Amino acid sequence: MAEFTPQPSCADDVDHNNLTVKQASQRIHDLLSPISSWQKVSLRQALGQILHQSVVSPRQVPPYNNSAMDGYALRSADIKNAPFSLTNIGVAFAGKPYQGRVETGQCIRIMTGAKIPDDCDTVVMQEQVQPNEDMVTVHTDLKAGQNVRLAGEDIDSGDTVLPAGRRLTAADLGLLASLGIAEVVTYRPLRVAFFSTGDELCGLGEHLADGQIYDSNRYTLYGMLSQLNIDVIDMGVIPDNRSALRIALQQAATDADVIISSGGVSVGDADYVKDMLAELGEVNFWKIAMRPGRPLAFGQIGEAMFFGLPGNPVSVMVTFYQFVQPALKRLAGETDSDPIIFKVPCDNVIKKRAGRFEFQRGILFRNNEGQLRVSTTGAQGSGILRSMSMANCFILLEENCDGLSAGSLVNVQPFAGLV
């Protein structure tokens, strides 16, 4: 299970209404540490997984001195003022080294990547020589050691090539394969159980009764979780019923490291999530001064960490990317996963009241001059899921911002570095 440091209930020591985005993020970060469970997996299974142990190279890369280009390998002791001639006595191909000795006044034809004979230490490009039967005339001045890739120049034996906490990429798999490493030790994938709450929700394919809507949140949650190489447990839709919610939370706490719900965390008559969290576990906080996504319940049930997300579709995605995803990465053992944030001019007038941090949805683009700009997606209501589908970034507006004129610089957080 996930490792979570219990804290006193927030009812005694936290102002629910004034927790800032930064405070909430720090509080979550400070309470979590990576899971301890690990597994050994083959390279083909390792893509997207997090290294539990650093990978140390068992050999040098390249494993031998080799030619950086097609040309002729020679002894630096034979270098003279150009032009000068050498006797060509053989050829070396990549994978098929020249087996004889290279004596004074001799050279061999060599191809890119081919092993350089022990007697040679320099390569002259083929464009800089004139071959004539078994003689080669060099027409340029040379320096000892040029055009040679030295053994261990890229990686030396014993070097740490990939640190613990790294999420493995396709390039990493190739690097490991080049070292002859067939297996790596990774953290086991997190187990995350998630469900939606609400009598108004219907599954896809079901008939919509009057006052009902299709449940979209479970599909966005499934997609966001799947991109993190997580074992997901979809528990469906839980009705607005205390008994049903209690059973679902107890089962999820048994099966998963993390529980995520959507809906039922506000203060309505049928919003039971926060109260049930307090009954079965501990509430750390449940409100953040942000928009969208103010009602966010965070705590634990047994050994499982719990996130109660709002019910509005955009709020679900914003709170997931800003709070849940960083927490999941930390629990999974991943390090160095901070999203990219930078400033660009905004083409729109932005309306905002001071007091809350806002995550407006934006479209990052290049104008006709090739300069990066951003514009909003239009209406920013927390129920407008299309605003997330259209967007490729968040526009980050600090609590003290009370609106901006067109052309103002704004912080943007591209989805490309986030999702």
Side-chain angles (χ1 to χ4, degrees), residues 108-250:
I108 64 163
R109 181 87 165 95
I110 195 165
M111 307 303 168
T112 301
K115 182 179 180 180
I116 293 177
D118 293 340
D119 305 307
C120 298
D121 58 9
T122 303
V123 172
V124 56
M125 296 170 58
Q126 63 181 14
E127 294 85 356
Q128 296 174 334
V129 304
Q130 179 64 50
N132 183 14
E133 296 183 350
D134 64 345
M135 297 298 295
V136 174
T137 300
V138 179
H139 291 284
T140 188
D141 291 333
L142 302 179
K143 293 182 179 179
Q146 72 181 45
N147 302 322
V148 173
R149 301 178 182 136
L150 298 176
E153 183 175 275
D154 183 12
I155 300 172
D156 204 358
S157 178
D159 283 352
T160 296
V161 291
L162 295 174
R166 180 180 179 87
R167 185 178 294 273
L168 291 169
T169 66
D172 295 336
L173 301 192
L175 173 61
L176 294 169
S178 74
L179 297 172
I181 296 173
E183 293 181 323
V184 288
V185 178
T186 67
Y187 288 93
R188 64 136 173 102
L190 286 178
R191 294 186 290 268
V192 178
F194 66 102
F195 57 84
S196 297
T197 64
D199 292 337
E200 77 280 12
L201 300 178
C202 278
L204 298 184
E206 296 180 1
H207 173 71
L208 285 179
D210 188 27
Q212 291 190 311
I213 59 173
Y214 288 118
D215 175 22
S216 64
N217 288 342
R218 280 176 36 246
Y219 290 88
T220 54
L221 282 170
Y222 176 83
M224 293 183 292
L225 290 169
S226 297
Q227 290 179 317
L228 296 175
N229 194 42
I230 282 172
D231 289 341
V232 296
I233 306 169
D234 185 350
M235 300 181 67
V237 177
I238 309 301
D240 289 325
N241 178 284
R242 286 182 179 274
S243 177
L245 182 58
R246 180 184 293 106
I247 293 172
L249 289 172
Q250 290 173 328

Side-chain angles (χ1 to χ4, degrees), residues 289-303:
M290 64 180 285
R291 182 182 180 187
R294 186 185 185 203
L296 170 66
F298 169 65
Q300 70 176 116
I301 300 174
E303 295 183 10

